[in-house]
């Protein structure tokens, strides 16, 4: 059994939204009260209170405050568990001599949502296509909230838990499904073998010279974001206008995130669908941003902000792409090879003769001083990781210049699923 999370957008009507907001307020109140209890007990009696101490008081609270009853006891327990996790993380970091922040009281506005840890107290009904209904609560007080979303795992998928969140005034329901491995499997339409180099000028370059351009939102939405932040900086902090701009910026942030996720899902799905072998290199976080500083003659404006945005948008995209490739490759039975960057140095190595040819980031063409091989820089790097995928580590012995071995643990990794692999052959 695999676990897959799917998120549905909720469309509560005014009454339902008001009730959900009230529920979040109560969960938030419980969280803060439990935190206060822990702090008090420690200050006054030097005693620490455990999760179970707090869980055992829940029936009393419900007797005292009947409005808590309809939230469901497991959901309430889950909120207490959330606080317990915050404390565990705090103490873990104290032990490892870091400087952790003490668990904080949360403002109702910032409280993200609540969670049902098991399939009791709610039901998600798929009504054909993308339409869905979330039934939540029991008896007369139950709500049927309109939802939108779809998953590909079929009727066999068993719901496991539900998290309801509120973000920028919109409501979402995330459901974890338990899915059989067969239902997770992806169809594959091709058996290509590809090396990929992810970069900044083009989002991806393949070993055969094909490229995927950077998604347009990077250059289209980013200036708007910088503009909003600039405007907000001119307003008085905490004023209505400043807050209005803040929420606009938050919405734009979310929009960029959605566009990026959509782009990455489509591209990685296509790569995995068309290829039997995919090779790429480990993620380097250092080189991830295009210089915003410009040149000496033509210095860039808003250098810091632009660099920050650039880095954020592009690097977040790449680590997400790597994660997506990993699980999608497993689902499709595609062999994903992740080359060790430091050992292999794909951007410096010649794909034809395996010699190291030093280049700066500005040099866009690979010209080998040993064998004369010429290729576009990223294409050469993609070819190098692809060769490494066929002959990881050992294959280099067949090459003129063997790689120097580094620490044993820093080997290139190949992920594959034996089950699906054997079906193919
Ligand atoms: Zn060469």
């Amino acid at each position: 059994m695999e676990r897959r999370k799917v998120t549905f957008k909720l469309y509560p009507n005014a009454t339902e939204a008001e009730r959900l907001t009230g529920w979040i307020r109560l969960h938030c109140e419980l969280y803060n009260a439990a935190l206060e209890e822990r702090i008090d007990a420690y200050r006054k009696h030097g005693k620490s209170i455990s999760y179970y101490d707090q869980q055992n008081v829940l029936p009393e609270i419900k007797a005292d405050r009947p409005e808590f009853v309809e939230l469901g006891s497991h959901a309430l327990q889950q909120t207490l568990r959330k606080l317990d996790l915050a404390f565990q993380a705090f103490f873990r970091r104290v032990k490892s001599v870091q400087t952790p922040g003490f668990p904080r009281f949360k403002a109702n506005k910032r409280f993200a949502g609540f969670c049902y840890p098991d399939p009791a107290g709610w039901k998600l009904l798929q009504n054909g296509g993308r339409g869905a209904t979330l039934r939540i609560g029991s008896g007369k007080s139950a709500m049927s909230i309109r939802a939108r979303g779809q998953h590909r795992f079929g009727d066999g998928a068993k719901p496991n838990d539900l998290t309801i969140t509120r973000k920028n005034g919109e409501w979402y329901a995330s459901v974890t499904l338990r899915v059989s491995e067969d239902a997770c499997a992806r169809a594959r339409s091709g058996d290509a073998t590809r090396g990929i180099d992810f970069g900044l000028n083009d989002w991806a370059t393949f070993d055969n010279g094909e490229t995927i351009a950077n998604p347009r939102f990077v250059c289209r939405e980013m200036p708007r974001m910088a503009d909003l932040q600039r405007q907000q900086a001119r307003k008085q902090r905490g004023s209505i206008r400043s807050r209005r701009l803040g929420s606009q910026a938050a919405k734009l942030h979310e929009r960029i995130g959605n566009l990026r996720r959509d782009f990455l899902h489509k591209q990685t799905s296509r790569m995995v669908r068309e290829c039997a072998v995919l090779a790429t290199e480990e993620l380097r976080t250092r080189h991830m941003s295009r210089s915003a500083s410009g040149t000496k003659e033509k210095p860039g404006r808003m250098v810091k902000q632009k660099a920050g945005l650039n880095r954020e948008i592009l690097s977040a995209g790449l680590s997400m792409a790597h994660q997506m490739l990993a699980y999608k490759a497993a689902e499709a039975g595609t062999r994903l090879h992740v080359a060790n960057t430091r050992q292999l140095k794909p951007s410096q190595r010649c794909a034809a003769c395996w010699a190291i040819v030093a280049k700066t980031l500005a040099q866009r063409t690979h010209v080998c001083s040993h064998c004369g091989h010429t290729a576009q820089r990223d294409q050469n790097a993609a070819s190098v990781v692809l060769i490494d995928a066929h002959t990881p580590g050992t294959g280099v012995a067949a090459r003129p210049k063997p790689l120097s071995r580094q620490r044993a643990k820093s080997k290139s990794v190949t992920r594959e699923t034996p089950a699906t692999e054997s079906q193919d052959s």
Side-chain angles (χ1 to χ4, degrees), residues 350-355 357 366 368-373:
C350 172
C353 72
W354 220 242
V357 183
H366 166 87
C368 182
S369 50
H370 298 264
C371 71
H373 176 65

XYZ file of all heavy atoms in Angstrom, residues 350-355 357 366 368-373, ligand 1:
101
model
N 34.208 16.543 -20.581
C 33.925 16.394 -22.005
C 33.199 15.072 -22.222
O 33.660 14.017 -21.788
C 35.222 16.420 -22.806
S 34.980 16.019 -24.546
N 32.063 15.126 -22.888
C 31.269 13.919 -23.097
C 31.932 12.976 -24.099
O 31.618 11.799 -24.156
C 29.866 14.282 -23.569
N 32.859 13.483 -24.904
C 33.484 12.642 -25.915
C 34.730 11.941 -25.386
O 34.944 10.768 -25.654
C 33.824 13.480 -27.141
N 35.575 12.655 -24.639
C 36.832 12.034 -24.210
C 36.974 11.959 -22.692
O 37.950 11.436 -22.181
C 38.021 12.773 -24.804
S 38.296 14.379 -24.046
N 35.957 12.473 -21.943
C 35.919 12.368 -20.488
C 36.973 13.201 -19.781
O 37.200 13.052 -18.600
C 36.025 10.898 -20.088
C 35.132 10.516 -18.950
C 35.524 10.053 -17.726
C 33.705 10.562 -18.918
N 34.422 9.822 -16.936
C 33.283 10.115 -17.637
C 32.728 10.951 -19.850
C 31.953 10.041 -17.275
C 31.404 10.875 -19.488
C 31.024 10.425 -18.208
N 37.647 14.096 -20.505
C 38.622 14.960 -19.841
C 37.883 16.107 -19.160
O 36.780 16.461 -19.544
C 39.596 15.511 -20.861
N 37.378 19.852 -18.687
C 37.664 21.088 -19.396
C 37.022 22.217 -18.593
O 35.802 22.343 -18.545
C 37.056 21.070 -20.817
C 37.423 22.323 -21.578
C 37.466 19.819 -21.550
N 30.792 24.280 -25.047
C 31.869 23.398 -24.608
C 32.779 23.111 -25.808
O 32.326 22.592 -26.826
C 31.261 22.096 -24.081
C 32.249 20.989 -23.919
N 32.993 20.819 -22.778
C 32.616 20.002 -24.765
C 33.781 19.766 -22.932
N 33.562 19.245 -24.119
N 36.311 21.158 -26.418
C 37.296 20.352 -25.712
C 38.685 20.643 -26.251
O 38.921 20.593 -27.465
C 36.969 18.868 -25.864
S 38.125 17.834 -24.967
N 39.610 20.961 -25.345
C 40.974 21.242 -25.774
C 41.749 19.962 -26.034
O 42.844 19.983 -26.571
C 41.670 22.083 -24.702
O 41.493 21.473 -23.446
N 41.172 18.802 -25.645
C 41.872 17.528 -25.842
C 41.476 16.872 -27.155
O 42.324 16.454 -27.927
C 41.577 16.577 -24.680
C 42.048 17.105 -23.374
N 43.257 16.756 -22.815
C 41.477 17.983 -22.513
C 43.404 17.397 -21.655
N 42.337 18.152 -21.460
N 40.137 16.773 -27.375
C 39.701 16.030 -28.559
C 38.957 16.900 -29.562
O 38.578 16.448 -30.633
C 38.815 14.856 -28.152
S 37.202 15.386 -27.563
N 38.728 18.152 -29.222
C 38.077 19.046 -30.167
C 36.571 18.945 -30.214
O 35.924 19.610 -31.017
N 35.987 18.115 -29.321
C 34.531 17.970 -29.289
C 33.865 19.302 -28.937
O 34.264 19.967 -27.999
C 34.163 16.909 -28.244
C 32.692 16.734 -28.040
N 31.869 16.264 -29.030
C 31.905 16.981 -26.963
C 30.625 16.227 -28.555
N 30.618 16.656 -27.313
Zn 37.110 15.915 -25.308
